[in-house]
Amino acid sequence: MTRIVIVGAGIMGLATAWALVRRGERPLVLERFGRGHTHGASHGATRNFNNAYADAHYLDLLQRARDGWDALGEVGGEPLLRRHGLVTHGVGGDLGGGADDADGLETIARSLGARGIPAEMLSAVEAGARWPGMRFETDVLYSSDAGVARASAAMLELERRVQGGGGEVRWGAPVAGIEDLGERGARVRLASGGEVDADVVVATAGAWTEGLLPGIRLPRLTVTEETPAHFASTTGPWPSFNHRLDPARYPAPVYGMPTPGEGVKVGFHRVGDVVDPDARPHRVTHHETLVEYVREWMPGLDPESAVHLSCTYTSTDDSAFVLDRVGSVVVGSGFSGHGFKFAPGVGATLADLALDATARAAAPFRLPAG
């Protein structure tokens, strides 16, 4: 019997495998698609390392993730976490930090400062002088300890470390289902017809989670196709950014970050069409509105240069993650478009749950009772 099997080799599955390898385990990771695939939520060059959170459970997870990113260190002579800073501005609209009122930025600044995370408030004039490619109308929260995670490079480095530590990653190994066997462990049914029994199975299958876990009560998981775009830059420098907007004019808050060689990524948060992950239409949504936003708020970008990309969000209704265990099955899901930066912390948490049946994640991350 295999001790620990992980189903899904996206960022969360690989981060979990790495956390287990660091503790002396040799997990088996099964992934239905090939290395570098674009069917899920972990591909692409960059992800926002946004630390603008006020809630303690997210900040706890963020600090654990930060330790993990530091431990991963450099790849190709450059850190996997580029700390060029993050600016958050605007009023209204929840960005996942637990503070969406007019005083939210000050609340987040105090929460970060209490943990020793750099955070300062700037006036709109000060921010505009520092980042002339952006326009500001309100005070701005700036943290120098945020920036961009190098997504695709991180995936390759995590796989390298997993395999170097004795773990195994099998690409092109689709799974048909996961069954909790109680005291006898758990069983993975392969699409090829075979089975793999394990002491513990960790499900980090993203948009395919519900179909693989029919025996576990999950929160509602909504899969959407999101289509942000890269825009060509005409000036700089560029931080990462969050912008809370008037919902009467724009469909959602905006996030973005520089992606070297591709431009500046700009996107609305969680506005895409609900889709079947096995039949994604790859249809761009909100193109005109996104161009309008860039034209109004990003004078340092060419609004006519949009190159869209596609990924999926798998979201819970309240955007809280699922990090929990039922019997011999551990579930990591519902990362709701803001999970990537937390990956080393999520992986360490899921490893805790895999190795200790009595371990529990923070209350907001637990599965529904009953």
Side-chain angles (χ1 to χ4, degrees), residues 47-300:
R47 289 295 187 279
N48 211 352
F49 189 83
N50 162 28
N51 63 5
Y53 288 79
D55 292 329
H57 51 276
Y58 280 120
L59 290 174
D60 289 344
L61 194 61
L62 185 74
Q63 289 189 295
R64 198 171 191 187
R66 185 72 168 76
D67 291 342
W69 287 113
D70 286 347
L72 285 169
E74 294 188 353
V75 172
E78 183 182 2
L80 286 175
L81 188 62
R82 297 190 186 110
R83 290 185 292 160
H84 54 228
L86 170 85
V87 297
T88 303
H89 63 115
V91 176
D94 184 11
L95 286 168
D100 60 355
D101 59 314
D103 297 322
L105 297 186
E106 287 81 2
T107 301
I108 295 170
R110 288 192 295 270
S111 297
L112 294 177
R115 292 172 178 255
I117 300 172
E120 60 179 313
M121 297 301 300
L122 306 173
S123 70
V125 172
E126 290 173 317
R130 191 178 297 190
W131 300 287
M134 306 173 69
R135 190 168 72 81
F136 304 93
E137 287 187 345
T138 63
D139 287 349
V140 174
L141 169 63
Y142 171 65
S143 176
S144 61
D145 197 50
V148 160
R150 296 169 55 202
S152 54
M155 294 280 289
L156 292 172
E157 178 64 10
L158 285 167
E159 182 189 359
R160 186 187 73 80
R161 294 199 181 205
V162 168
Q163 294 183 326
E168 181 183 358
V169 182
R170 291 183 192 170
W171 303 99
V175 167
I178 299 168
E179 181 184 0
D180 178 28
L181 302 177
E183 294 182 357
R184 294 184 291 121
R187 176 167 294 154
V188 177
R189 291 185 292 104
L190 305 176
S192 63
E195 295 177 342
V196 179
D197 286 346
D199 292 333
V200 179
V201 173
V202 182
T204 50
W208 293 271
T209 299
E210 286 186 317
L212 294 177
L213 298 172
I216 292 178
R217 184 183 177 192
L218 299 166
R220 181 166 63 178
L221 297 174
T222 302
V223 179
T224 56
E225 180 174 35
E226 307 293 333
T227 52
H230 282 109
F231 291 84
S233 173
T234 59
T235 188
W238 288 97
S240 294
F241 51 88
N242 298 318
H243 189 184
R244 303 184 298 182
L245 293 157
D246 178 358
R249 290 203 57 204
Y250 291 103
V254 161
Y255 69 93
M257 70 222 74
T259 303
E262 296 185 69
V264 176
K265 186 191 294 184
V266 186
F268 292 117
H269 176 65
R270 195 174 167 181
V271 297
D273 294 336
V274 176
V275 298
D276 175 347
D278 289 314
R280 271 166 58 191
H282 291 273
R283 186 178 79 85
V284 173
T285 62
H286 300 91
H287 169 77
E288 294 80 6
T289 310
L290 188 62
V291 169
E292 178 185 343
Y293 169 82
V294 168
R295 185 174 289 114
E296 179 179 2
W297 290 99
M298 299 283 185

Side-chain angles (χ1 to χ4, degrees), residues 259-352:
T259 303
E262 296 185 69
V264 176
K265 186 191 294 184
V266 186
F268 292 117
H269 176 65
R270 195 174 167 181
V271 297
D273 294 336
V274 176
V275 298
D276 175 347
D278 289 314
R280 271 166 58 191
H282 291 273
R283 186 178 79 85
V284 173
T285 62
H286 300 91
H287 169 77
E288 294 80 6
T289 310
L290 188 62
V291 169
E292 178 185 343
Y293 169 82
V294 168
R295 185 174 289 114
E296 179 179 2
W297 290 99
M298 299 283 185
L301 298 180
D302 176 1
E304 305 306 322
S305 64
V307 177
H308 286 273
L309 56 155
S310 169
C311 67
T312 57
Y313 280 18
T314 302
S315 301
T316 60
D317 290 346
D318 61 2
S319 295
F321 309 154
V322 177
L323 308 173
D324 208 349
R325 175 170 175 159
V326 176
S328 297
V329 177
V330 175
V331 183
S333 189
F335 295 103
S336 304
H338 68 120
F340 197 104
K341 59 185 167 288
F342 290 105
V346 167
T349 301
L350 295 178
D352 291 343

